[in-house]
Amino acid sequence: MSCCDSWPQRVTGEKAPFRVEFDPKLMRLESLLSLCLQARQLACERDDRWLFEGLDLDIKGGEIVRIEGPNGSGKTTLLKILSGQLTDYRGELFWNGAPMHQTREHFLANLLYLGHAPGVKAGLTPLENLAWYQALNGEKGSDQQREQALFEVGLAGFEDVPAGQLSAGQQRRIALARLTLTPRALWVLDEPFTAIDRHGVMALEAQLVAHAQSGGCVLVTTHHALTESSVLRRIQLG
């Protein structure tokens, strides 16, 4: 029985804010068979309005979970809560059956979050941006690995061009190169298809499916109509 097949044990106490900092010794890929992110009675209020309340989630390896809902329904907010960026909420989070505040470092070591904005530095080249990402995560990597990651997202030949001179779609591809460069079990992606052309969309969707089929998990919001598959599950907000 996996942790997502059982109700997690509740532990009382205040929620401490997540700190996105990494110890290289903890940077290992989670055992995919046990990957399980759970939320219990999650609720979030903004501007005197409940975006959602009483939300129970069980997210496990081997699936793509698409968060759906109209604008303003709290999709991005939910992703930020689940990835540890927001603490202004009610309810509890669990990672592999343990309260999140007890296993935060392990969770972060298995998480890759890509936000709605590409998050690239305009003055740095694609290679330099990827090196910067890796340095933030306590990773060294190599130019050869970074060049391969850029090649796989269609940026061969643009490795040394300042990101500010690239198109919006190319800047998005720099961020997406991290999916190849930085192995993580859990991908949390906010509108990853934004500004990507048709061929890029097809390649990215295939990559998401392959990650889920290999035992990883993808939690995603997107206006792109994902192709129906056995690994796709939908959660509706609003």
Side-chain angles (χ1 to χ4, degrees):
M1 177 181 293
S2 72
C3 65
C4 274
D5 294 323
S6 60
W7 199 267
Q9 181 179 0
R10 295 180 180 274
V11 176
T12 59
E14 295 183 359
K15 295 189 295 291
F18 288 87
R19 294 180 300 165
V20 183
E21 55 186 39
F22 296 87
D23 180 346
K25 296 179 181 178
L26 295 174
M27 301 275 295
R28 64 181 181 83
L29 192 63
E30 174 58 59
S31 171
L32 298 181
L33 293 177
S34 64
L35 188 162
C36 179
L37 175 62
Q38 294 170 290
R40 291 293 177 261
Q41 292 298 297
L42 210 59
C44 184
E45 182 182 14
R46 290 289 183 272
D47 299 323
D48 298 321
R49 178 176 66 89
W50 289 103
L51 296 177
F52 45 81
E53 54 184 329
L55 188 61
D56 290 335
L57 300 174
D58 292 273
I59 299 165
K60 56 187 178 181
E63 61 180 2
I64 299 172
V65 179
R66 178 179 179 181
I67 307 299
E68 301 179 340
N71 291 341
S73 60
K75 299 186 295 297
T76 292
T77 297
L78 178 59
L79 290 193
K80 288 185 175 181
I81 290 173
L82 294 176
S83 60
Q85 299 180 63
L86 294 180
T87 58
D88 184 17
Y89 65 89
R90 296 180 183 175
E92 297 174 272
L93 297 179
F94 301 84
W95 175 245
N96 291 342
M100 187 65 80
H101 67 86
Q102 293 181 3
T103 187
R104 180 182 301 114
E105 289 181 287
H106 188 264
F107 169 72
L108 291 175
N110 288 281
L111 168 71
L112 178 57
Y113 174 85
L114 298 183
H116 190 278
V120 300
K121 290 186 174 293
L124 299 182
T125 67
L127 274 177
E128 291 168 340
N129 268 285
L130 292 183
W132 175 67
Y133 286 134
Q134 290 185 300
L136 286 179
N137 292 343
E139 303 171 6
K140 292 183 178 179
S142 68
D143 278 346
Q144 183 178 4
Q145 292 173 324
R146 291 185 280 270
E147 287 171 354
Q148 181 62 31
L150 292 171
F151 172 81
E152 293 188 19
V153 295
L155 286 180
F158 295 92
E159 299 92 342
D160 298 314
V161 179
Q165 298 179 19
L166 300 178
S167 69
Q170 289 172 317
Q171 292 183 20
R172 174 70 58 180
R173 288 171 186 261
I174 298 173
L176 293 174
R178 296 175 61 197
L179 299 178
T180 299
L181 188 64
T182 307
R184 293 289 187 271
L186 175 62
W187 294 354
V188 179
L189 312 175
D190 190 359
E191 296 290 350
F193 295 93
T194 301
I196 299 295
D197 60 27
R198 181 170 60 88
H199 294 294
V201 165
M202 293 174 59
L204 177 56
E205 188 165 355
Q207 187 177 13
L208 302 188
V209 171
H211 184 63
Q213 289 178 338
S214 69
C217 180
V218 181
L219 186 58
V220 61
T221 65
T222 178
H223 288 89
H224 169 66
L226 294 175
T227 303
E228 293 295 335
S229 72
S230 60
V231 298
L232 178 62
R233 180 161 66 91
R234 303 170 188 273
I235 294 175
Q236 184 70 34
L237 298 181

